[in-house]
Amino acid sequence: QVQLVESGGGLVQAGGSLRLSCAASGGTFSTYSMRWFRQAPGKEREFVAIIAWSGYSTRYSDSVKGRFTISRDNAKNTVYLQMNSLKPEDTAVYYCHADRYGLGSTTYWGQGTQVTVSS
């Protein structure tokens, strides 16, 4: 069983930056592809970014490409989401997701962290 704990959310003005962290425990972190999702009020949860378990591959949604960067530190069992040039439409609860070897068969969610971007 893997536990995921997100942190780093908060209130920031448009154009500002935040770095989210997701600390994992209870599993072999290096075997998990890690994703960030977000859910805005009244909307469905949407994919934001992924970093493969190997760490060599990343992918982003079109809405954040060029502004957000996902990275991982396997020594610290942590995945990060650096968010720059934030916009009000980035306001959402951000969730961390672990997927063992990226296969979709063994997955875990964190509890989420709120990001609010004021205009």
Side-chain angles (χ1 to χ4, degrees), residues 1-6 22-29 31-37 45 49 79 94-112:
Q1 188 78 8
V2 172
Q3 292 79 43
L4 302 173
V5 179
E6 299 97 333
C22 172
S25 61
T28 305
F29 181 72
T31 66
Y32 285 84
S33 291
M34 300 298 297
R35 295 177 174 87
W36 286 97
F37 289 80
R45 193 171 296 189
V79 63
Y94 283 71
Y95 296 91
C96 178
H97 176 270
D99 180 2
R100 194 156 189 264
Y101 293 120
L103 297 176
S105 57
T106 304
T107 63
Y108 303 93
W109 288 94
Q111 84 290 347

Side-chain angles (χ1 to χ4, degrees), residues 35-95:
R35 295 177 174 87
W36 286 97
F37 289 80
R38 66 186 183 186
Q39 187 166 18
K43 296 187 177 181
E44 293 188 352
R45 193 171 296 189
E46 65 172 357
F47 165 80
V48 175
I50 182 174
I51 185 165
W53 64 272
S54 65
Y56 293 120
S57 175
T58 60
R59 183 167 56 87
Y60 301 89
S61 68
D62 288 343
S63 61
V64 308
K65 196 176 298 181
R67 299 187 298 122
F68 290 11
T69 302
I70 189 170
S71 61
R72 65 190 298 157
D73 185 337
N74 287 345
K76 296 183 178 180
N77 290 350
T78 301
V79 63
Y80 304 97
L81 186 68
Q82 177 66 44
M83 305 186 297
N84 299 328
S85 302
L86 283 161
K87 305 175 181 180
E89 51 264 44
D90 294 318
T91 295
V93 178
Y94 283 71
Y95 296 91

